[in-house]
Amino acid sequence: MKKLIITALLALCITPSKAQKFVRKYQDRVDQVSKDNIIANLKAFEKLGIKTTGSVENDNALQWIRQQYLSYGYTEDQLMADPFSIGKEKSSNLIITKKGTVYPDRYVIICGHFDSINGPGVNDNGSGTSIILEAARILKDIPTDYSIKFIHFSGEEQGLYGSRHYVNEVAYTRKQRNLDIKMVFNIDEVGGKKGMFNDTVFCDEDQGGNSKNNTASAQVTRELMKCTALYSPLKTEIDPAEDSDYISFEKKGEVITGFFEYLRSDLPHTKDDTFANTDVMYVYNIGKATLGALQHFAGADHH
């Protein structure tokens, strides 16, 4: 009898989740993604200059992001700074928490870095920053089953310092897990290059590192691909997850996925990573895919 129960439980565990279907309410919110807002965010990000971790420009960018959330109606108690140091340089991550209605203590994390090197970083990663802001604006008053943490990391360009600090000092304390994380959805460098035919986006799948989370990552990455097809005009390809902030979570065994541009621009980390060289329509379309996917992952109200 025990063997039969175990077999039944195993069957339940490996049964795939019910097929994703188009949700009209999700589309209605995806339709609220504003190209004008994306443009305004990218231009404002560019004006803030070279956001090297520890610089005045980096701190100004953090304060600008913070003010955006307050303008959307998020409250001070939903915003948390997470300060850290790289040698003598000081910086901070910014975490915004939107509580879920069914599983308030289980979190979907959507994240991206806002620091840059050698240039204003409009693609890398003003693009991801702008999309996260737009998703947060639209979902501000939408109930979700799971809590959402919108996280803006600093220190990524120097070696994932900000996300590593957050994971090791906030999400975990030594080996103790302080946050019940459902999944991590990272958006980094999704601006493409103006003039290229940007009709495809990479969906990042965990294919290395801590192998115990690879299967779960493959599942959520396929769900991300499906959401992209449902809610945007973009095509998708799978890319191995690497060299961005989700890796700090992956090392702790968390489930990760993310977006990255398919045709890789050669301008990030240069003075030419500017608004003029970024494909705004590509950012806009990835914004649509992001909002569709985030609603799916967090269980947004669809009644």
Side-chain angles (χ1 to χ4, degrees):
M1 184 66 180
K2 189 177 178 185
K3 193 172 181 181
L4 283 172
I5 292 169
I6 290 168
T7 305
L9 285 171
L10 282 171
L12 279 172
C13 289
I14 61 173
T15 301
S17 55
K18 57 187 177 184
Q20 283 169 256
K21 293 178 182 173
F22 175 82
V23 178
R24 168 45 59 190
K25 279 273 183 144
Y26 291 4
Q27 182 65 58
D28 290 344
R29 294 178 198 124
V30 166
D31 290 342
Q32 294 174 41
V33 174
S34 163
K35 188 178 173 188
D36 287 344
N37 285 354
I38 296 275
I39 289 170
N41 286 339
L42 292 172
K43 285 184 171 179
F45 193 88
E46 179 177 55
K47 281 184 182 172
L48 288 159
I50 304 170
K51 303 155 196 73
T52 311
T53 301
S55 67
V56 171
E57 291 82 359
N58 180 274
D59 190 55
N60 288 344
L62 181 81
Q63 297 309 321
W64 172 73
I65 293 166
R66 192 173 177 282
Q67 287 304 317
Q68 292 297 97
Y69 280 94
L70 294 174
S71 76
Y72 303 152
Y74 288 87
T75 58
E76 291 279 1
D77 62 359
Q78 288 178 281
L79 278 64
M80 183 190 92
D82 171 36
F84 65 94
S85 300
I86 306 175
K88 292 180 181 177
E89 302 296 344
K90 297 187 185 306
S91 191
S92 188
N93 305 313
L94 186 66
I95 300 96
I96 297 85
T97 304
K98 179 187 181 304
K99 278 292 184 181
T101 56
V102 181
Y103 310 104
D105 297 320
R106 188 158 167 77
Y107 297 90
V108 171
I109 290 175
I110 179 168
C111 60
H113 72 92
F114 67 91
D115 59 305
S116 70
I117 52 172
N118 304 327
V122 174
N123 181 6
D124 184 18
N125 186 35
S127 58
T129 303
S130 298
I131 287 169
I132 294 167
L133 285 170
E134 189 65 351
R137 179 187 72 82
I138 294 164
L139 294 183
K140 158 72 175 57
D141 296 316
I142 304 302
T144 55
D145 291 349
Y146 296 90
S147 290
I148 302 174
K149 283 190 182 288
F150 303 92
I151 305 185
H152 299 269
F153 288 120
S154 187
E156 192 267 355
E157 299 291 10
Q158 285 80 12
L160 315 184
Y161 278 95
S163 56
R164 195 185 313 158
H165 179 272
Y166 178 78
V167 169
N168 291 333
E169 304 295 332
V170 180
Y172 286 77
T173 310
R174 296 184 179 87
K175 291 188 177 179
Q176 180 185 326
R177 192 180 196 226
N178 301 324
L179 272 187
D180 183 5
I181 299 169
K182 181 176 184 254
M183 61 165 294
V184 177
F185 178 15
N186 187 71
I187 307 177
D188 189 4
E189 197 179 317
V190 290
K193 189 176 179 181
K194 199 170 184 180
M196 296 173 88
F197 188 62
N198 297 303
D199 69 341
T200 305
V201 63
F202 269 134
C203 296
D204 296 347
E205 177 184 285
D206 187 3
Q207 297 178 0
N210 190 333
S211 61
K212 73 176 185 180
N213 41 6
N214 286 4
T215 302
S217 171
Q219 175 61 34
V220 298
T221 301
R222 275 153 188 76
E223 291 174 23
L224 180 60
M225 295 172 83
K226 178 69 172 173
C227 286
T228 302
L230 287 172
Y231 302 107
S232 87
L234 296 169
K235 294 183 274 191
T236 56
E237 293 286 346
I238 289 179
D239 191 39
E242 56 189 356
D243 302 332
S244 194
D245 288 311
Y246 46 20
I247 296 300
S248 298
F249 293 90
E250 193 277 343
K251 287 181 176 176
K252 291 289 192 182
E254 301 295 350
V255 178
I256 64 169
T257 193
F259 278 141
F260 193 87
E261 64 189 24
Y262 180 66
L263 296 177
R264 190 158 188 173
S265 171
D266 56 349
L267 301 180
H269 306 174
T270 76
K271 64 181 176 53
D272 296 317
D273 187 0
T274 60
F275 177 81
N277 291 324
T278 299
D279 185 342
V280 171
M281 200 67 192
Y282 190 49
V283 181
Y284 172 60
N285 285 330
I286 293 174
K288 290 180 177 181
T290 297
L291 192 64
L294 186 57
Q295 290 181 93
H296 167 71
F297 291 137
D301 175 53
H302 57 271
H303 300 295

